[in-house]
Amino acid sequence: MVRALPGGDPLLVETHKKLRAHGIVVVGLDQDNSAANGRAFAGEFHMNYPSLLDPDGKQAFKLPKGVLNTQGLPFTFAIDPHGKIAAATSGQLDDTKLDALLKAARPGTAPPAHTS
């Protein structure tokens, strides 16, 4: 699973479309102040993946220390099949960063890594 904050990244939209049949799911964390605003944003940016509403940002702060880098928003992280954060990156997502996240989340890969 790959999660992104905030959503709307075309690369994540395409990734979700291509890989969901393989059990890889993209989930956004919407920090808008209402579900209606979040749905409007998702529609505007053609987000085809689900988003969780977190208007106060409380869920983001429950992430393990060192995962969230608010200086590099948006941030993206990969969850392995056991529900553990396998890797994280901040700033604009590109193919290289996405490939590293997906590789880190595969079963039997190295311990958690954080990319910049």
Side-chain angles (χ1 to χ4, degrees):
M1 173 188 318
V2 176
R3 289 190 179 185
L5 296 176
D9 188 311
L11 184 57
L12 291 177
V13 168
E14 189 60 30
T15 298
H16 181 70
K17 188 186 310 182
K18 288 192 309 191
L19 300 178
R20 65 182 168 200
H22 300 285
I24 296 173
V25 180
V26 172
V27 179
L29 187 56
D30 181 4
Q31 294 181 319
D32 211 317
N33 59 1
S34 76
N37 289 347
R39 283 190 298 274
F41 179 86
E44 180 180 344
F45 290 97
H46 308 288
M47 292 168 50
N48 59 344
Y49 52 87
S51 288
L52 307 173
L53 185 61
D54 185 24
D56 299 324
K58 291 179 182 177
Q59 298 307 313
F61 290 116
K62 290 181 181 180
L63 294 171
K65 191 172 187 163
V67 170
L68 175 61
N69 176 0
T70 57
Q71 299 301 314
L73 292 176
F75 70 90
T76 307
F77 53 96
I79 310 296
D80 71 16
H82 303 288
K84 304 287 185 197
I85 296 175
T89 188
S90 60
Q92 184 63 38
L93 193 62
D94 59 27
D95 288 325
T96 302
K97 286 183 178 181
L98 181 60
D99 288 344
L101 289 170
L102 293 172
K103 182 178 180 182
R106 286 189 194 119
T109 55
H114 302 284
T115 63
S116 50

